[in-house]
Amino acid sequence: MVAADATTPASPLPPVAVPPWQRWLVYSPLARIVIFALVAYVLTMAMRYLGPAIGVPIGEKVAFDKVSPLLQAVRLLPVVLSYWLLVRFIERRHVDELAARKLVPHVIAGLVGGVLLFSLIVGLLWAFGCYHVDGVNQNVSWLGPILVLGLGAGIGEEIVCRGVLFRIVEEGMGTWFALGLSALVFGAGHIGNPNATAWSALSIAIEAGLLFGLIFHVTRSLWLCMSLHAAWNVMQGPVYGIPVSGFDQHGWLASHMTGPDWLTGGSFGAEASVVALTTCSIVTVIFLVIALRRGSIVPPFWARRKPSVIP
């Protein structure tokens, strides 16, 4: 009987009889990331050809308020299906991070957490004299922004950055490297947004990339990360009327900011504010302390203890 290192995450094991080349080209961490990316790309291209046949303009730019549930579902299908295929047929395991038993409690916890966290940030900006409410917009379009900013960003970005990148990199290179790499990729993914700067990308990498990575590390739940991410975006744009990652919003609250960009986030939105950066960093430290007390930080493969044989 073999006693595994308690700090090592459960890694998918390749079939015993496979030749060594398959272990590197199919089952290794790098191979699985590449396989996911290739399958997602192929499926995305296929959807762009098949979409118009079913009346879905998958390859066209569509304004937030014009996005339909069918269009958003087709947009998300490649990344969701690619992840399911990766886990079920390459890793040969159940998708525990999206287990049905976690759906209701973790989604509720994530939604509540996202609402409270961003509301705290807005409350601090208001207390500092930066956030001002001018009135209430009665003609807010809710469906499109919720589909794109909430479900689209929450599901798609969390599967890629936490479900694939963080989780798989952690298996080989350990938690610290996985946190840093997934956060940098997450921040870099926003550098092309409107009004983005190097500072805004770095802020998102630190305040959200590290936070979501540690939340996933502690909970092993994509439901929680997805719902928190979705609630954060929806509260920021459709509710408080603050630009979401550089995209201007027509929110329920007609609002504006005053003050220096480093405090308000400027035209990129509150995510580039030191208020959001500091607040999220405090929450990140809380999850880091939980991980350290549990002893769940995974060392890189070369620093791990070899399994001991128990007679």
Side-chain angles (χ1 to χ4, degrees):
M1 190 176 170
V2 177
D5 188 343
T7 65
T8 303
S11 303
L13 298 176
V16 176
V18 300
W21 68 267
Q22 284 191 20
R23 292 178 179 268
W24 286 103
L25 295 181
V26 178
Y27 300 106
S28 68
L30 178 59
R32 282 181 280 138
I33 292 174
V34 172
I35 289 172
F36 169 83
L38 289 176
V39 173
Y41 176 79
V42 170
L43 291 177
T44 299
M45 292 299 102
M47 288 297 102
R48 289 191 176 184
Y49 284 106
L50 296 175
I54 58 175
V56 180
I58 185 66
E60 302 176 12
K61 289 186 177 180
V62 180
F64 286 169
D65 58 349
K66 302 298 182 181
V67 174
S68 66
L70 178 59
L71 173 58
Q72 192 58 40
V74 173
R75 283 177 172 178
L76 286 172
L77 181 61
V79 68
V80 174
L81 183 56
S82 298
Y83 191 69
W84 182 80
L85 291 172
L86 172 72
V87 173
R88 295 296 290 144
F89 294 98
I90 301 297
E91 297 182 347
R92 299 169 182 263
R93 64 179 182 85
H94 294 292
V95 193
D96 296 326
E97 57 273 26
L98 289 172
R101 70 181 185 280
K102 300 177 181 178
L103 173 59
V104 173
H106 286 203
V107 166
I108 292 175
L111 292 176
V112 172
V115 169
L116 294 178
L117 181 58
F118 199 80
S119 295
L120 173 60
I121 292 169
V122 172
L124 290 171
L125 288 169
W126 173 81
F128 292 144
C130 299
Y131 180 77
H132 308 274
V133 177
D134 304 313
V136 176
N137 291 315
Q138 302 295 337
N139 58 340
V140 178
S141 176
W142 291 96
L143 181 60
I146 289 175
L147 289 173
V148 178
L149 301 174
L151 294 179
I155 295 174
E157 293 178 9
E158 292 309 309
I159 285 179
V160 172
C161 290
R162 259 59 68 176
V164 176
L165 197 57
F166 175 84
R167 178 180 63 83
I168 295 178
V169 170
E170 187 184 39
E171 291 178 15
M173 302 302 293
T175 303
W176 299 124
F177 189 87
L179 277 173
L181 179 62
S182 61
L184 286 175
V185 170
F186 188 66
H190 294 77
I191 194 65
N193 289 12
N195 305 308
T197 63
W199 166 252
S200 67
L202 181 61
S203 297
I204 286 182
I206 296 173
E207 72 192 30
L210 294 180
L211 175 58
F212 288 135
L214 276 168
I215 288 175
F216 181 77
H217 172 84
V218 169
T219 66
R220 293 292 157 179
S221 170
L222 280 176
W223 292 125
L224 189 59
C225 295
M226 290 174 175
S227 54
L228 194 152
H229 191 155
W232 168 286
N233 282 358
V234 171
M235 293 302 295
Q236 184 173 197
V239 175
Y240 289 118
I242 298 172
V244 179
S245 301
F247 292 95
D248 289 332
Q249 298 297 305
H250 181 70
W252 176 63
L253 293 179
S255 63
H256 71 278
M257 293 275 199
T258 58
D261 287 355
W262 62 268
L263 185 59
T264 66
S267 57
F268 187 81
E271 290 167 330
S273 163
V274 295
V275 175
L277 180 63
T278 303
T279 303
C280 290
S281 295
I282 292 172
V283 181
T284 299
V285 170
I286 293 173
F287 277 93
L288 178 59
V289 170
I290 293 173
L292 291 171
R293 288 185 174 180
R294 287 182 178 179
S296 60
I297 299 296
V298 181
F301 68 90
W302 61 83
R304 296 174 191 169
R305 300 191 303 272
K306 293 182 178 181
S308 56
V309 177
I310 301 176

